[in-house]
Amino acid sequence: MMTTTHAGASSRSPLADLARQTQARTVGHHQLRLRRQLLTACSKNDAQTVVGIINQVSSSAHLLAQLLLHADPAVGTPLHVAARRGHLDTIKVLVQYVADVDATYRVAASASERSVDASALLCALQHGHMDVAKFLLELGASAEAGGVAEWLARHPRERRLVDGLAEDSVKTHAIETFNRTLQAKRDLEVGGWSVGRSVGWLVGSFGRGVRM
């Protein structure tokens, strides 16, 4: 008996649905693999691999944002990982693409600390990477957000240093100097290896974007 397809009936077949589901799973696995590779590269200060991954997905703003802004429950975003390890070279690459240096992720409570929404600045301070903390502050990172204020209240020496660096005049001068350097060269040299991508936005002293 011949089956007649009525007008308006769905043209989707089980085979087409299966193909779409398989494609979605493949894309998901690909993103997960890239995310893991990016976090590993950030933990090892492998700036060349970081840039290679960014270039792979540069045609998709959505995927690039997913990779750079997704906070892994255990370690946070790539910026958190690099800040925790003190990898300034890698951070200088990441901030070319990350619009919010104050992004946080939830750190679970421990025996000595309560849970906190931690920023990259807090990660740097907690692990003694003052050069990274200084750089983030110069880019406009907040000393009042992301658990930083509470941590500094218990660490007066670091509090004095951060207070000095957080002055608007210091931040503004540092941002202008950083931008002039990038404008003159157009490429950021990381360990002798050229990133080869011009900067679009950097975080300004009051959270503003600074366009090249």
Side-chain angles (χ1 to χ4, degrees):
M1 179 182 294
M2 182 179 296
T3 302
T4 302
T5 302
H6 296 285
S10 173
S11 62
R12 293 195 313 178
S13 69
L15 185 60
D17 286 341
L18 179 60
R20 279 188 287 269
Q21 292 170 9
T22 301
Q23 183 181 18
R25 283 196 296 269
T26 301
V27 172
H29 290 323
H30 177 63
Q31 291 182 11
L32 182 59
R33 182 172 66 253
L34 286 177
R35 186 177 298 158
R36 288 173 175 170
Q37 291 173 351
L38 182 59
L39 291 175
T40 299
C42 289
S43 72
K44 295 180 177 180
N45 203 24
D46 185 354
Q48 182 171 350
T49 296
V50 170
V51 174
I53 293 171
I54 289 173
N55 285 339
Q56 281 186 54
V57 302
S58 59
S59 61
S60 171
H62 175 73
L63 180 53
L64 182 59
Q66 284 288 314
L67 289 177
L68 295 177
L69 301 179
H70 173 81
D72 182 275
V75 296
T77 68
L79 186 61
H80 287 98
V81 172
R84 187 179 296 108
R85 295 296 185 105
H87 295 329
L88 188 55
D89 286 344
T90 296
I91 290 171
K92 287 179 178 179
V93 174
L94 293 173
V95 296
Q96 296 183 59
Y97 307 92
V98 177
D100 184 8
V101 294
D102 285 326
T104 63
Y105 82 105
R106 191 69 173 174
V107 178
S110 65
S112 57
E113 299 282 347
R114 66 181 184 84
S115 61
V116 64
D117 292 322
S119 65
L121 176 57
L122 178 62
C123 292
L125 289 170
Q126 287 177 327
H127 292 82
H129 303 305
M130 298 310 296
D131 57 336
V132 171
K134 178 177 182 293
F135 182 75
L136 292 173
L137 285 164
E138 288 170 346
L139 289 181
S142 173
E144 303 300 325
V148 175
E150 292 182 6
W151 188 88
L152 288 174
R154 302 192 301 271
H155 298 81
R157 184 176 69 85
E158 287 80 1
R159 170 86 261 180
R160 289 191 294 272
L161 177 60
V162 168
D163 284 345
L165 292 173
E167 294 295 331
D168 289 340
S169 59
V170 174
K171 291 192 296 183
T172 301
H173 172 72
I175 293 166
E176 291 173 349
T177 301
F178 190 57
N179 278 319
R180 281 197 300 269
T181 301
L182 291 176
Q183 285 176 325
K185 199 167 185 182
R186 301 302 296 173
D187 288 331
L188 182 65
E189 295 294 332
V190 180
W193 189 82
S194 177
V195 170
R197 175 162 182 154
S198 61
V199 176
W201 287 90
L202 287 175
V203 175
S205 59
F206 299 101
R208 297 191 303 267
V210 180
R211 183 172 289 280
M212 292 289 290

